[in-house]
Amino acid sequence: MKAGDDRRAALAAWLRDEVATNPGTLLGEGYQATVHRYASPLGDVVVKRPHESFPRRRLGIAALRREQRIYERLEGVAGIPKSFGLLDDRYLVLESIAGPSLRDHEPHLEDRERFFTDLYGTIAAMHAAGVAHGDLKRKDNVLVGPAERPYIIDFGVASLRKHPAGAWNSMRFAWFAQLDLNAWVKLKYRRNMSELSPEDAARYRPLWLERIARWIRIPWQKLTLRRPRQRWRQRRRER
Ligand SMILES: Nc1ncnc2c1ncn2[C@@H]1O[C@H](COP(=O)(O)OP(=O)(O)O)[C@@H](O)[C@H]1O
Ligand SMILES: [Mg+2]
């Protein structure tokens, strides 16, 4: 039996009871999973689980299995929450990071320079471990933990480098890794791209898909009522 299996089994037993009786604190609801926080015997944990309805449930379980594999690859990387595994093949249990998202906290960062240096370190370590996130531009996916330490979450679309990697896997990985660096630069400079230091300018390489995305973003946002939806979600969170 592997070290930690006992703890994991105890956590699974506790979680089965807890989920049946306590709704937990809702943190998010995406296409494939819902996310809650629970106070567990091992401290606060975040539980990501699939939706109950049939087609979404199958998809959700597959997505969570994949996300767990990614967390396994990233074990020990500073700035990535620890995973306790996919318990009962349906609950992805993660260390809960105490702190707001970068979206909520950005105006209050005390040491922006250090925050983004640390975040860069996590991105570089993540890439070295064979994971490229692909959705870091979204400020909800970066959390500001205790002592203003950055944490990266939500590997729902991430790319996992295979060994050996075929051509398609290598290409997708390189593409996502560059997307991560570009997102980091944009976040760090708040999109003021004329202010990049020479070092950061060398890290930024806009991809043709991003250019197209920028070009269609504004009409698309209008078409999909993105702003009103964001405001509505924000109000719902504040309630
Ligand atoms: N490890 C964590 N610690 C604290 N909060 C978390 C953690 N993981 C997720 N969350 C919260 O739950 C929300 C949804 O989780 P996420 O993994 O982004 O799911 P989704 O795929 O639905 O976007 C996040 O935006 C964040 O607020
Ligand atoms: Mg998310």
Side-chain angles (χ1 to χ4, degrees):
M1 198 184 245
K2 266 197 299 183
D5 278 0
D6 282 351
R7 250 162 53 122
R8 210 165 280 192
L11 188 62
W14 173 84
L15 197 64
R16 264 176 241 132
D17 277 359
E18 190 68 12
V19 167
T21 54
N22 176 359
T25 309
L26 181 68
L27 298 177
E29 203 166 357
Y31 292 115
Q32 287 167 333
T34 52
V35 185
H36 291 83
R37 182 185 291 118
Y38 287 95
S40 89
L42 300 181
D44 278 3
V45 291
V46 162
V47 179
K48 224 172 155 168
R49 65 167 179 272
H51 293 291
E52 296 299 334
S53 61
F54 163 69
R56 291 211 295 178
R57 183 170 157 193
R58 293 288 295 269
L59 285 172
I61 291 177
L64 289 175
R65 281 183 191 146
R66 188 165 183 278
E67 199 165 355
Q68 164 53 20
R69 285 216 317 276
I70 292 173
Y71 274 105
E72 253 167 47
R73 275 268 186 105
L74 295 174
E75 199 178 330
V77 173
I80 309 288
K82 207 160 57 170
S83 168
F84 296 99
L86 187 65
L87 304 183
D88 291 352
D89 199 32
R90 56 173 307 169
Y91 305 117
L92 177 60
V93 184
L94 305 170
E95 166 196 12
S96 174
I97 305 305
S101 70
L102 183 60
R103 178 182 303 291
D104 292 335
H105 193 74
E106 189 174 8
H108 315 293
L109 278 179
E110 279 176 19
D111 192 343
R112 236 189 122 79
E113 190 67 33
R114 200 199 68 182
F115 182 84
F116 281 99
T117 303
D118 287 352
L119 183 60
Y120 187 86
T122 297
I123 294 171
M126 173 178 85
H127 291 172
V131 176
H133 187 281
D135 198 17
L136 283 183
K137 231 167 54 181
R138 202 182 288 268
K139 292 182 195 169
D140 307 282
N141 290 339
V142 178
L143 301 181
V144 185
E148 264 191 8
R149 295 288 171 197
Y151 284 84
I152 297 177
I153 58 163
D154 194 357
F155 294 87
V157 301
S159 167
L160 193 59
R161 192 165 49 204
K162 290 182 186 154
H163 297 292
W168 166 244
N169 182 250
S170 299
M171 215 168 69
R172 185 175 134 105
F173 184 83
W175 178 43
F176 271 43
Q178 188 59 52
L179 275 179
D180 290 348
L181 295 183
N182 292 353
W184 177 82
V185 169
K186 285 183 195 155
L187 290 175
K188 178 175 171 184
Y189 289 89
R190 298 191 189 91
R191 295 179 175 272
N192 295 317
M193 306 312 276
S194 55
E195 293 173 10
L196 269 54
S197 71
E199 195 188 9
D200 289 341
R203 291 168 170 160
Y204 181 67
R205 262 179 262 141
L207 304 162
W208 60 269
L209 216 73
E210 285 180 297
R211 288 185 205 181
I212 296 175
R214 196 166 340 145
W215 191 59
I216 60 174
R217 184 180 304 132
I218 293 170
W220 176 252
Q221 285 180 353
K222 291 225 166 82
L223 212 65
T224 60
L225 303 173
R226 177 142 180 242
R227 297 287 168 213
R229 275 192 298 123
Q230 275 176 348
R231 278 197 292 272
W232 177 74
R233 238 180 290 151
Q234 179 71 32
R235 272 206 302 272
R236 212 168 59 148
R237 245 182 284 157
E238 283 164 4
R239 246 186 267 147

